[in-house]
């Protein structure tokens, strides 16, 4: 038996993992040819690419291979949903050292498959190469189903800003991992299932509200994006692109109980840097969707109104909390 | 001024390079949003991903950044053409150490832009992240324009096998680079422009015959792929997928004069491993197109007939040269 991907070889690995990837009605031709063929009934295709690098975007000691696969798929599918599109397909570039266990690659593939299945998409192709560090390059495709895309630049003064999905849990989960808490046992918890454990789960496997992307488009959303770098930083793009001010109402930021629990635990561990509101404003990677809707939009409960859009004053486009400008403290890569 | 991409930062780098990427009629929404939107008038989209890693797939001392960009784009666009599709768009994942010069990234972007322009496509999106080694993950999209895709599995006994594009030049160029010949001066050549120099050029910037992909589909090609790992290895996929024997006629392999010159120079340098025929049969990365056509197809001159398809005997599907089975000696990654 082959225990590492170097022993198994490129073609053996491809054969092993592509067997896991079932098709959908959108898959006209799956893995194995020069290219895949995916349905694009709308006559337009939505496409996005993200690259994840070990140590920088995930750690094998913090996340299982299946976690990494689910997260890699999720963050790309969330970008498709954030355009108001229905996800159809994923392509996977996988670079890894030859000593990576075959089982790790198989579990990664299982994570990709499972998240695609959850979102209604399918893995249709990819590439595997040898490299010094594990790198995943995911491309997601989607279909607009005849709708207009919801871009970043359409917010208008008077619009309301609303969010679907979790805020801050992934960030708190990351802080817990940094503090050495990898599971309930690490924190000495006697409870069977402490609430803050969910923050670890959301960090490892974010659960973007995929269906709310097309849903927002149907509700008339004028601008939308997925919260990947942090709400303030990401809404900064909406403010800049639309030349508007986005004023967030701190009272509208009600932390989920599991986030509050995690913040308490972090404080007990001496990690006092961020409160729940800071995690919600500046923490990324939950892949919630944030959108600007016309004030008359009738929003279903999963869309929580968190602020309003107004015309820029002398300060120009910006994001404010309770009227006070706030700067993005999300990540900027390379720096 | 920022001299490295680490100093410039992710967003600065994206702003700097995306300014280089003009749209085309197919680009509905280019870089800058959660995802790009590309036309897919056929109602199906063809999609492929390749990953290139420094040292393994290119070397900065052997190729300029523009070369790397052109080659990365070319090998993906060739995969689109090999399905019989018209290339429309590229997405670019770029992982690199922070100390990579901004100028290198800009020249890479220029190479991507130029190759896309040559093929009629456009860079529509991507991602940049910090990493330990330079890795490029390219996804190419294409449109079938109402035609059936030309897959690997359609070759029938009685078909002719033909090739469009160069064979062996990239492989000979790689051998020259390995022998220390990076340009005319390295080989002590007095000629202003020795022919073998073209092999270095083809290795650095392959020129796949993009238009011959859709052209082959119109000519009735029953199976097609692009020659990336070596002709014998790649035709092995056609043989296996179609359950046929592909018999190549060595007399049909007339080396281009520049390949012959390179082989002479390589022999002078003591590199006697491969003759011209071996480079043509086993060398990869020219990204020629190889296809099986019905015997009655009237092939234009760029398609050179190199063999025939027959029903498998007791040995099963295989590739043969002058009737003798030949095994793939192309690369297999990881091993």
């Amino acid at each position: 038996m082959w225990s590492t991907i170097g022993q198994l070889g490129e073609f053996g690995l491809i054969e092993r993992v592509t067997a896991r990837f079932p098709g959908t009605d959108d898959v006209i031709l799956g893995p194995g040819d020069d290219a895949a063929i995916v349905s694009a009934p709308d006559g337009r295709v939505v496409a996005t690419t993200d690259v994840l690098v070990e140590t920088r975007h995930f750690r094998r000691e913090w996340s299982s291979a299946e976690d990494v696969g689910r997260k890699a798929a999720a963050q790309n599918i969330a970008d498709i949903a954030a355009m108001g599109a229905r996800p159809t397909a994923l392509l996977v570039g996988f670079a890894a050292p030859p000593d990576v266990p075959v089982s790790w690659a198989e579990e990664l593939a299982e994570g990709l498959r499972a998240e695609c299945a959850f979102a209604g998409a399918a893995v249709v192709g990819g590439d595997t190469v040898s490299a010094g560090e594990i790198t995943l390059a995911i491309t997601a495709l989607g279909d607009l189903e005849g709708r207009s895309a919801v871009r970043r630049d359409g917010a208008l003064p008077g619009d309301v800003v609303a969010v679907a999905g979790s805020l801050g849990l992934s960030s708190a989960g990351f802080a817990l991992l940094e503090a050495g808490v990898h599971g309930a046992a690490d924190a000495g918890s006697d409870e069977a299932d402490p609430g803050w454990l969910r923050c670890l789960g959301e960090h490892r496997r974010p659960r973007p509200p995929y269906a709310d992307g097309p849903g927002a488009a149907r509700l008339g959303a004028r601008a939308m994006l997925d919260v990947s770098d942090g709400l303030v930083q990401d809404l900064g793009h909406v403010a800049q692109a639309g030349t508007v001010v986005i004023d967030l109402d701190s009272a509208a930021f009600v932390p989920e109980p599991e986030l509050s629990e995690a913040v308490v635990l972090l404080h007990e561990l001496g990690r006092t840097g961020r409160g729940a509101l800071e995690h919600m404003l500046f923490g990324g990677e939950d892949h919630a969707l944030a959108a600007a809707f016309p004030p008359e939009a009738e929003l279903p409960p999963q869309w929580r109104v968190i602020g309003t859009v107004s015309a820029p004053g002398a300060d120009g486009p910006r994001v404010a909390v309770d009227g006070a400008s706030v700067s993005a403290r999300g990540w900027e890569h390379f720096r």
Side-chain angles (χ1 to χ4, degrees), chain A residues 137-182:
Chain A
I138 310 281
T139 298
L141 305 178
D143 186 71
L144 284 163
E145 302 179 307
R147 291 182 297 273
S148 293
V150 185
R151 297 161 47 156
R152 298 183 168 190
D153 60 355
L156 294 176
D159 284 355
V160 298
V161 177
V163 167
S166 294
L167 286 179
L169 277 76
S170 175
S171 170
F174 181 72
L176 286 170
L177 289 166
E178 278 192 315
V181 180
H182 294 200

Side-chain angles (χ1 to χ4, degrees), chain A residues 264-335:
Chain A
V264 168
L265 175 57
L266 284 162
H267 277 245
E268 286 171 9
L269 296 166
R271 305 278 175 145
T272 56
R274 279 181 172 177
L277 181 61
E278 285 70 36
H279 282 294
M280 296 176 80
L281 289 173
F282 303 114
E285 297 203 309
D286 290 287
H287 300 288
L289 295 172
F293 293 95
E296 66 273 17
E298 291 185 30
L299 300 182
Q302 69 267 33
W303 286 98
R304 288 115 51 205
V305 174
I306 56 168
T308 54
V309 180
S310 58
D315 292 347
R318 62 199 174 89
V319 177
V321 176
D322 301 334
S325 285
V326 60
S327 68
R329 281 188 272 168
W331 289 352
E332 186 170 352
H333 298 137
F334 290 130
R335 282 199 167 154

Side-chain angles (χ1 to χ4, degrees), chain A residues 92-104:
Chain A
V92 179
F94 177 58
D99 64 0
V100 168
V102 171
S103 60
W104 197 91

Side-chain angles (χ1 to χ4, degrees), chain A residues 136-263:
Chain A
L136 270 166
I138 310 281
T139 298
L141 305 178
D143 186 71
L144 284 163
E145 302 179 307
R147 291 182 297 273
S148 293
V150 185
R151 297 161 47 156
R152 298 183 168 190
D153 60 355
L156 294 176
D159 284 355
V160 298
V161 177
V163 167
S166 294
L167 286 179
L169 277 76
S170 175
S171 170
F174 181 72
L176 286 170
L177 289 166
E178 278 192 315
V181 180
H182 294 200
D186 294 318
S189 171
D190 293 331
E191 295 176 76
D193 192 6
W196 51 259
L197 207 55
R198 193 181 143 218
C199 294
L200 297 180
E202 295 289 332
H203 180 75
R204 289 170 173 145
R205 299 190 184 189
R207 293 184 293 180
Y210 302 128
D212 292 320
R218 288 186 212 102
L219 291 165
R222 285 205 262 245
M224 180 160 55
L225 41 58
D226 96 296
V227 181
S228 50
D229 293 326
L231 184 68
V232 167
Q233 176 159 345
D234 289 323
L235 286 178
H237 301 312
V238 173
Q240 291 292 335
T243 322
V244 293
V245 170
I246 292 177
D247 195 8
L248 302 175
D249 173 12
S250 65
F253 285 74
V254 181
E256 297 184 62
E258 296 91 339
L259 172 56
S260 299
E261 283 187 40
V263 169

Side-chain angles (χ1 to χ4, degrees), chain A residues 67-94:
Chain A
D67 290 338
V68 174
R70 290 200 75 132
K71 185 168 187 165
Q75 72 180 61
N76 280 277
I77 297 172
D79 280 328
I80 296 297
M83 300 302 289
R86 176 181 68 85
T88 55
L90 235 66
L91 294 106
V92 179
F94 177 58

Side-chain angles (χ1 to χ4, degrees), chain A residues 43-65:
Chain A
R44 299 167 292 174
V45 62
V46 180
T48 183
T49 289
D50 268 348
V51 180
L52 291 87
V53 181
E54 185 176 12
T55 316
R56 169 137 208 106
H57 299 97
F58 63 89
R59 299 190 195 181
R60 273 188 272 178
E61 63 271 30
W62 287 2
S63 296
S64 72

